[in-house]
Amino acid sequence: MQATSARTRKLLARRRQALMQAAGGEAILILPAAPERIRSRDTHYPYRQDSDFWYLTGCAEPEAVLVLVPGRRHGESILFCRERDPEREGWDGPRLGPEGAVDALGLDDAYPITDIDEILPGLLEGRRRVYYPLGRDAEFDLKLIGWLNRVRAQARQGAQPPQEFLALGHLLDEMRLFKSAEEIALMQKAADISVQAHRAAMRAARPGIHEYELQAELEYVFRRHGAQPAYPCIVGAGANACILHYGANSARARAGELVLIDAGAEHAGYAADITRTFPVSGRFSHAQRALHDLVCAAQAAALAQARPGRPFSAMHEAAVHTLTEGLLSLGLLRGRLQEVIASGGYQRYYRHKTGHWLGLDVHDAGEYRIDGASRLLEPGMVVTIEPGLYVPADDAAVAPEWRGLGIRIEDDVLITRDGHRVLTAALERSADEIETLMSR
């Protein structure tokens, strides 16, 4: 959807202005839209706009380039985009066109994308620094190098080519890490849709159901609310839950097995990311409940660290401590607590970190470490908290009732001034809550 409201236009303009202020008056910032991708022969993958481009423009169209030129008298925010074309619009849908882009997106100026070869070298001339996401689009990289070389070729005639080439993400990632009230509202909507989808899948579960049938329940709810999957849904029954990025979603869930679902909706570009693990028959076995309760306890321990001033790594450390202590108590690991943690012995059953940034991308922009130390949490950051345990089906070192159990619990958490807010808190989490939901 194209940005059209006055409030949205002002928000986008503030973002562009803040970015230009951070870049400085001698800079030029160049950001192309995501290219379309061929799926097979002459059909394309569904188009998804580049997150940075969407963040700064609200433009959903391909074949566009945003150029920001701080201090330019004739307009600082410039968009190159496709012209209106009734013939092509009859096939592919309406376009903004340069005139419409200025009005709809609150830009200073816009030109046809076909004019970029003629205009952009002149915008580069006299600028000292170029901020650009090098390596993201190899074809556009070559075009930009060509434009730079054209300016350099005129140096003897007095042209002043840029002297520095800098990563745009250095500035933009930091902006995107801190969510505004408008962004938080969109993320809450994505979370709410995702909660409904997970509940629908749990209620549909029964022995013999295919994983892809549960995926269909999720995606039906997403689409019914105008959203789409933020990433490929993971639906792993039985030992498939131990495969972290399982994607086949083709097996049947057998009576007595657990099902792990990792799925989130994308609403207005913003992602949710939820994981729940539940018994397909509606009741946890003793061993399943023991591990599920342990993962719940680990998540609670990590959540207690989700507050301003705490290191990002503190959430993972708290989860690791709780999981390791529980695994020792249950007999799945042996040794002394601190030694098992120090040696990494717990990684036999817990291989990943406990969370990541969340926003326009499901693994969102932002540094995790600053000057070698774990970054401190601050209000406006949104993180996932997702501890898990995965016991391989062929692990002969443990009793049979533990083998093939994969459990992960994941929620989306906003860091606030006085602590945190769980955006996905409405979704049933504990074993008792899940059993009650599935019995209705």
Side-chain angles (χ1 to χ4, degrees), residues 19-150:
L19 182 60
M20 285 189 284
Q21 186 173 356
E26 295 182 310
I28 182 170
L29 304 95
I30 301 170
L31 182 60
E36 295 179 293
R37 301 293 187 188
I38 295 292
R39 181 181 184 276
S40 64
R41 200 171 177 84
D42 58 353
T43 61
H44 290 78
Y45 284 104
Y47 185 71
R48 205 277 189 181
Q49 186 57 276
D50 175 83
S51 294
D52 287 339
F53 191 88
W54 175 257
Y55 181 79
L56 293 171
T57 68
C59 177
E61 296 184 14
E63 297 184 70
V65 179
L66 175 68
V67 182
L68 301 178
V69 193
R72 182 172 177 265
R73 287 187 303 165
H74 302 295
E76 297 177 309
S77 300
I78 305 164
L79 185 72
F80 294 89
C81 62
R82 302 176 302 183
E83 293 188 271
R84 297 294 307 275
D85 183 340
E87 171 64 21
R88 288 311 314 169
E89 290 178 56
W91 288 90
D92 305 323
R95 301 176 176 183
L96 282 173
E99 299 82 5
V102 171
D103 294 335
L105 308 177
L107 296 155
D108 295 325
D109 211 346
Y111 300 98
I113 189 67
T114 51
D115 291 350
I116 194 169
D117 282 329
E118 178 183 346
I119 297 173
L120 192 55
L123 297 174
L124 287 165
E125 201 276 326
R127 293 284 154 173
R128 180 173 180 80
R129 297 181 301 279
V130 179
Y131 285 91
Y132 170 74
L134 185 66
R136 188 179 299 176
D137 182 341
E139 184 176 346
F140 196 88
D141 290 352
L142 294 175
K143 290 181 180 179
L144 180 56
I145 291 170
W147 294 321
L148 288 167
N149 286 337
R150 282 169 58 182

Side-chain angles (χ1 to χ4, degrees), residues 205-325:
R206 64 188 185 279
I209 195 168
H210 286 92
E211 294 163 342
Y212 57 71
E213 294 179 81
L214 296 175
Q215 178 182 354
E217 295 287 338
L218 295 160
E219 294 184 359
Y220 169 72
V221 175
F222 293 166
R223 296 304 298 145
R224 187 160 59 87
H225 289 87
Q228 60 187 354
Y231 52 94
C233 298
I234 296 171
V235 183
N240 291 335
C242 296
I243 303 171
L244 298 183
H245 292 164
Y246 178 68
N249 295 355
S250 58
R252 287 184 184 271
R254 297 176 297 183
E257 289 186 331
L258 294 178
V259 177
L260 183 153
I261 292 182
D262 186 339
E266 181 181 285
H267 167 69
Y270 286 85
D273 188 2
I274 301 177
T275 307
R276 290 292 186 269
T277 309
F278 57 89
V280 71
S281 302
R283 303 286 294 182
F284 287 91
S285 71
H286 177 76
Q288 290 169 349
R289 178 179 278 265
L291 285 191
H292 193 278
D293 288 351
L294 177 53
V295 175
C296 272
Q299 192 193 45
L303 195 58
Q305 300 297 320
R307 60 184 188 270
R310 295 297 295 149
F312 182 91
S313 61
M315 297 182 291
H316 179 65
E317 291 165 1
V320 165
H321 185 279
T322 301
L323 290 174
T324 306
E325 191 172 47

